[in-house]
């Protein structure tokens, strides 16, 4: 009974976002036992809400708006990322300042967590030892207890923390300084106040790695369990986007890159520079050893221009932890070669060797993938 009272409360709280009657073509609810979800951020300027697309391996079908189909309420604005931990799935909603807690296989709402105080605007999530850690874009990382589903504590980190990952007993945080393109630090450098936080989970203390020559505008983090790899986007001008390895307080450049994912002892790197000057034919897709940092596969995927295997404008990469399948999310391009940010996107599935398997359609602003399997918690 308590569960349904909480569910009703969550619906009332977001009742202004949408109702069942606002769409005559309500999608059908689905159950995803083995497959994945794409987290679609939508487009707030275009008044397009966020959504979740469910892909089922058994049927090979993608169902858009799966959260709405199950719950009869829109998910909100600014969906960023989601993780499955234990018997629950957690979804970070940046613009709506909300963390949804749902059943992984159905997306049925269990409850919602609304951050309060200084630590708000959830961005990314990581989990360990019964806790879910959430980066808050206002400059904090918060710790959520998975039993009480309450925020237990928060720690101040750098400006505009984005993605996070756990490496050993540390939480590695990419503090992008993303709202400061006018320049920071002593040299007036764009995003010059950005840095990487190393938060010790046992002592709940922070150390910083700040060096604009090596760490500028960090946004994404991936981990092999021991070491962390961070995408530092640079200034979108003279300083390119690079991938660095973080071991302790040491930072080592791995390569140029804009998107990353880790799987076992391999680092998957997509380099699609933010520039219309660089055509998609010149984007690179490589696999590196997380230990030696050498290239182990020059071509992560097999792609052919003009065919479905081609990736026009990549926006996310993920590796299925069980099968090793590679999923890459991409925008479509318009006739001028610009990404169609207000239109549905697509995802391509490749097997572990990079052989193209299938293309599927996903929602507007697809940016992350969350995998669903019978065993959802290591």
């Amino acid at each position: 009974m308590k569960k349904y009272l909480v569910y009703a409360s969550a619906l009332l709280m977001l009742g202004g976002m949408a109702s069942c009657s606002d769409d005559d073509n309500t999608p059908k609810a689905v159950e995803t036992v083995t497959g994945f979800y794409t987290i679609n951020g939508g487009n707030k300027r275009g008044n397009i809400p966020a959504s979740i697309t469910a892909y089922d391996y058994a049927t090979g079908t993608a169902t858009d708006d799966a959260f709405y189909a199950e719950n009869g309420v829109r998910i909100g604005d600014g969906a960023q990322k989601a993780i499955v931990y234990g018997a629950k799935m957690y979804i970070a909603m940046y613009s709506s300042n909300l963390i949804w807690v749902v059943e992984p296989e159905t997306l049925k709402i269990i409850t919602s967590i609304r951050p309060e105080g200084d630590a708000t605007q959830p961005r990314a999530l990581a989990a360990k030892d019964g806790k879910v850690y959430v980066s808050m874009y206002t400059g904090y990382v918060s710790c959520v207890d998975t039993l009480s589903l309450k925020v237990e504590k928060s720690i101040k980190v750098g400006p505009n923390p984005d993605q996070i990952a756990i490496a050993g007993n540390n939480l590695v945080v990419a503090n992008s300084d993303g709202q400061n393109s006018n320049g920071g630090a002593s040299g007036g450098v764009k995003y010059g106040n950005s840095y990487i936080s190393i938060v010790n989970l046992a002592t709940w203390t922070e150390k910083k790695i700040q060096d604009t020559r090596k760490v500028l505008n960090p946004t994404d983090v991936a981990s092999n369990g021991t070491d962390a790899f961070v995408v530092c986007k640079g200034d979108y001008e003279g300083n390119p986007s690079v991938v660095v390895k973080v071991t302790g307080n040491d930072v080592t450049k791995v390569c140029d890159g804009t998107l990353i994912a880790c799987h076992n002892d391999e680092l998957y790197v997509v380099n699609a520079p933010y520039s219309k000057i660089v055509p998609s034919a010149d984007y690179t897709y490589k696999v590196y050893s997380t230990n030696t940092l050498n290239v182990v596969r020059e071509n992560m995927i097999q792609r052919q221009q003009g065919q479905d295997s081609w990736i026009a404008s990549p926006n996310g990469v993920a590796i299925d932890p069980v099968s090793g399948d590679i999923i890459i999310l991409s925008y479509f391009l318009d006739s001028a070669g610009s990404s169609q940010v207000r239109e549905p996107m697509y995802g391509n599935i490749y097997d572990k060797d990079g052989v193209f398997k299938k293309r599927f359609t996903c929602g507007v602003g697809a940016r992350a993938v969350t995998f669903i399997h019978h065993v959802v918690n290591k």
Side-chain angles (χ1 to χ4, degrees):
M1 182 67 178
K2 181 179 179 181
K3 175 179 175 181
Y4 293 102
L5 289 174
V6 171
Y7 170 65
S9 174
L11 293 184
L12 287 172
M13 181 168 55
L14 291 185
M17 291 182 178
S19 65
C20 294
S21 61
D22 70 352
D23 190 346
D24 293 333
N25 298 310
T26 303
K28 183 180 179 180
V30 295
E31 181 175 5
T32 308
V33 176
T34 303
F36 58 84
Y37 298 117
T38 67
I39 311 304
N40 313 315
N43 186 293
K44 194 171 183 180
R45 290 185 180 180
N47 199 30
I48 302 170
S51 67
I52 291 182
T53 300
Y55 186 89
D56 185 84
Y57 282 141
T59 62
T61 58
T63 302
D64 198 19
D65 241 353
F67 181 96
Y68 176 55
E70 176 62 37
N71 297 296
V73 62
R74 297 292 182 194
I75 194 171
D77 291 321
Q80 295 292 314
K81 218 153 195 188
I83 61 168
V84 173
Y85 185 63
K88 303 180 184 74
M89 177 172 164
Y90 303 80
I91 310 167
M93 304 296 300
Y94 166 69
S95 300
S96 294
N97 187 37
L98 194 72
I99 303 166
W100 284 114
V101 185
V102 302
E103 296 176 353
E105 293 84 2
T106 65
L107 299 180
K108 186 176 183 63
I109 294 171
I110 297 172
T111 189
S112 61
I113 303 167
R114 185 174 292 278
E116 298 177 346
D118 294 331
T120 59
Q121 298 182 312
R123 198 79 172 182
L125 312 101
K128 184 175 182 178
D129 296 336
K131 309 295 181 182
V132 170
Y133 299 95
V134 188
S135 60
M136 301 292 185
Y137 210 58
T138 52
Y140 293 81
V141 169
S142 296
C143 173
V144 175
D145 180 73
T146 57
L147 294 180
S148 68
L149 297 178
K150 302 290 185 183
V151 175
E152 286 190 329
K153 55 187 176 181
S154 298
I155 185 172
K156 179 72 174 174
V157 289
N160 310 130
D162 207 320
Q163 301 303 303
I164 59 179
I166 293 174
N169 293 315
N170 294 321
L171 183 72
V172 180
V173 185
N175 301 299
S176 68
D177 196 26
Q179 294 182 336
N180 181 23
S181 61
N182 293 324
S186 59
V189 179
K190 282 186 176 182
Y191 315 111
N193 297 318
S194 61
Y195 66 89
I196 296 171
S197 288
I198 309 296
V199 177
N200 185 296
L201 297 179
T203 62
W204 202 235
T205 56
E206 180 218 21
K207 292 182 179 180
K208 65 171 65 176
I209 301 175
Q210 188 169 25
D211 182 346
T212 55
R213 296 168 300 174
K214 295 181 178 180
V215 177
L216 183 63
N217 189 15
T219 57
D220 199 3
V221 188
S223 174
N224 62 358
T226 304
D227 302 305
F229 298 84
V230 181
V231 175
C232 299
K233 284 290 180 68
D235 57 10
Y236 305 102
E237 294 175 355
N239 293 298
S241 180
V242 299
V243 180
V244 299
K245 180 179 181 178
V246 179
T247 304
N249 293 323
D250 295 328
V251 174
T252 304
K253 179 182 175 181
V254 179
C255 60
D256 291 345
T258 56
L259 298 168
I260 58 173
C262 272
H263 178 57
N264 297 329
D265 59 354
E266 292 184 327
L267 175 69
Y268 293 69
V269 180
V270 177
N271 189 34
Y274 182 76
S275 171
K276 290 184 179 180
I277 299 175
V278 181
S280 57
D282 292 340
Y283 296 164
T284 60
Y285 301 79
K286 298 182 180 182
V287 183
Y288 293 78
S289 164
T290 59
N291 299 313
T292 66
L293 305 186
N294 294 328
V295 175
V296 294
R297 282 168 55 186
E298 282 286 347
N299 297 299
M300 177 200 310
I301 56 173
Q302 298 175 21
R303 57 197 177 112
Q304 183 175 350
Q305 198 160 9
Q307 303 296 318
D308 279 353
S309 61
W310 190 252
I311 299 291
S313 180
N315 196 48
V317 58
I319 314 301
D320 188 306
V322 175
S323 67
D325 279 1
I326 304 164
I327 290 89
I328 298 180
L329 307 176
S330 176
Y331 294 101
F332 287 99
L333 300 181
D334 61 19
S335 58
S338 298
S339 300
Q340 299 187 47
V341 297
R342 298 188 182 186
E343 300 296 329
M345 295 171 59
Y346 65 91
N348 276 3
I349 305 173
Y350 306 82
D351 70 14
K352 61 183 178 62
D353 297 316
V355 177
F356 176 72
K357 296 174 70 174
K358 188 167 185 175
R359 171 175 288 192
F360 65 94
T361 301
C362 46
V364 175
R367 54 170 54 114
V369 175
T370 301
F371 293 96
I372 304 296
H373 292 282
H374 287 290
V375 180
V376 295
N377 181 20
K378 293 182 180 180

